[in-house]
Amino acid sequence: MSDSKRKSQGSDNKRKKKYRSDGTPIWGKRHIDGPGVWVSCVKGKEKQTIGEIYEIFESISSDIWPHQDSADHSSSDEATADAELSLEDQIAKEVSAMKRPRAENTAKQRFVNCQTNTPCVVFISCKPPVDPVELVVKYIKNVQETGVTRTRYVHRLVPVSGTCVANLPEIQALCKKVLTDFLDKHPNTKFKYKIELRVRNHTTIPRPTLIQNIAACVPEGHVVDLENPEIFILVEVFKSICGVSVVEGYYQLHKFNVAEIAKRNDQASESRLHSPPAKEQIP
């Protein structure tokens, strides 16, 4: 067989589509992979934003999903074993450990920055057991209650429970999965819902077509309510990637807009500071 034929057959095999058990196709590998959180930020401050978000997310996730203490037990066992080693063997073990910290630390990371190659846009991938929706809601409520954002550059956060390639079969498959995961936690409950669709740098699928196909994924019994929805289906389409999540209280949480919440808190504080003192009432 000639080299050209081998190359042709090899490329054909690479182009073959893979399919899920329900028959929907699985498309190519993506650089942005969820679950995760979209972060919009100040232009030119993307690197600083990533550092801020890492610190915030690590702090909150450690409270919600504490690290298992198995590592502590294993470290004590290792210390006992090390005491039995000779000095030369202990030095050799330490040198060996110094050569592999980066790989081990990466494996333990709960949050990974995914390159978006776009100003003002950051995507942080979340690893289990982190739930991006619970994580972001917890942070936003903390900001509302305390008035402390712990960030200088973040504008808005959008959690996504999963991501896919932005084509209709993949989007519908993802929407059905995310909706099923949410509704299974609320059996026998019928919700009023609204689709919050945001499209950026994407012109392939028209907006009305996207909304129509997303709505078709909602099980019967749940009704659209644009004025007083109980749940929101958040759909973020960015270039060739789509992210989906289901959230409650989206408007009460100011659409996860950190900058807007901070501005409101500052205005409230300023108003209290300059308000005239209450007059004493003479009995």
Side-chain angles (χ1 to χ4, degrees):
M1 185 182 294
S2 64
D3 291 341
S4 59
K5 288 184 178 181
R6 289 195 186 96
K7 291 180 181 179
S8 176
Q9 289 184 356
S11 59
D12 289 341
N13 291 333
K14 291 180 181 178
R15 282 196 291 264
K16 286 182 179 179
K17 295 178 184 177
K18 296 181 180 180
Y19 293 85
R20 297 190 182 89
S21 58
D22 61 359
T24 55
I26 300 174
W27 299 74
K29 184 179 180 181
R30 309 186 304 273
H31 294 293
I32 296 174
D33 199 13
V37 181
W38 288 104
V39 184
S40 60
C41 64
V42 176
K43 186 176 182 180
K45 299 296 183 180
E46 293 81 9
K47 185 176 181 179
Q48 292 89 333
T49 297
I50 293 168
E52 290 179 341
I53 286 295
Y54 274 168
E55 184 175 349
I56 293 169
F57 283 2
E58 283 289 355
S59 174
I60 296 175
S61 63
S62 295
D63 291 336
I64 303 176
W65 305 280
H67 289 283
Q68 295 180 354
D69 58 358
S70 59
D72 296 335
H73 292 303
S74 61
S75 61
S76 62
D77 294 339
E78 288 179 3
T80 303
D82 288 347
E84 300 176 357
L85 295 175
S86 66
L87 179 60
E88 292 78 5
D89 290 339
Q90 289 183 33
I91 295 174
K93 185 175 180 179
E94 290 180 4
V95 172
S96 178
M98 292 174 61
K99 294 180 179 179
R100 59 176 188 276
R102 180 170 296 181
E104 291 182 355
N105 290 337
T106 301
K108 294 177 182 179
Q109 283 182 351
R110 289 178 168 180
F111 306 101
V112 178
N113 174 50
C114 299
Q115 293 294 332
T116 64
N117 299 318
T118 303
C120 308
V121 180
V122 171
F123 185 85
I124 305 297
S125 178
C126 303
K127 294 183 179 180
V130 177
D131 178 351
V133 174
E134 186 176 354
L135 177 70
V136 170
V137 169
K138 177 71 172 178
Y139 170 63
I140 294 297
K141 287 183 176 179
N142 284 345
V143 175
Q144 286 183 319
E145 293 171 2
T146 65
V148 179
T149 64
R150 299 163 61 185
T151 174
R152 297 176 59 189
Y153 306 113
V154 173
H155 285 161
R156 184 169 177 261
L157 305 174
V158 182
V160 292
S161 300
T163 57
C164 68
V165 176
N167 59 61
L168 292 180
E170 285 278 281
I171 292 173
Q172 284 199 315
L174 178 60
C175 285
K176 290 176 182 177
K177 180 184 183 305
V178 172
L179 282 165
T180 299
D181 291 344
F182 176 84
L183 295 175
D184 283 349
K185 300 176 184 177
H186 305 82
N188 304 320
T189 303
K190 301 302 179 183
F191 290 100
K192 295 181 290 184
Y193 73 91
K194 181 180 180 181
I195 297 172
E196 286 279 337
L197 172 63
R198 188 179 185 189
V199 181
R200 293 177 293 177
N201 299 356
H202 178 89
T203 57
T204 305
I205 308 174
R207 186 182 181 89
T209 302
L210 276 169
I211 294 177
Q212 183 179 5
N213 279 267
I214 294 165
C217 299
V218 181
E220 293 184 3
H222 306 280
V223 296
V224 176
D225 189 331
L226 303 181
E227 298 298 326
N228 298 295
E230 297 168 314
I231 63 173
F232 297 79
I233 303 173
L234 305 186
V235 182
E236 288 274 324
V237 179
F238 174 76
K239 295 183 180 180
S240 61
I241 300 298
C242 176
V244 180
S245 63
V246 179
V247 302
E248 300 177 81
Y250 185 58
Y251 288 166
Q252 289 82 353
L253 298 174
H254 300 285
K255 299 183 178 181
F256 304 146
N257 192 320
V258 180
E260 180 64 25
I261 296 172
K263 182 179 178 180
R264 287 172 180 264
N265 288 339
D266 290 342
Q267 290 174 345
S269 299
E270 191 76 13
S271 176
R272 288 193 297 268
L273 183 64
H274 292 88
S275 59
K279 294 182 179 179
E280 294 184 1
Q281 295 183 357
I282 302 175

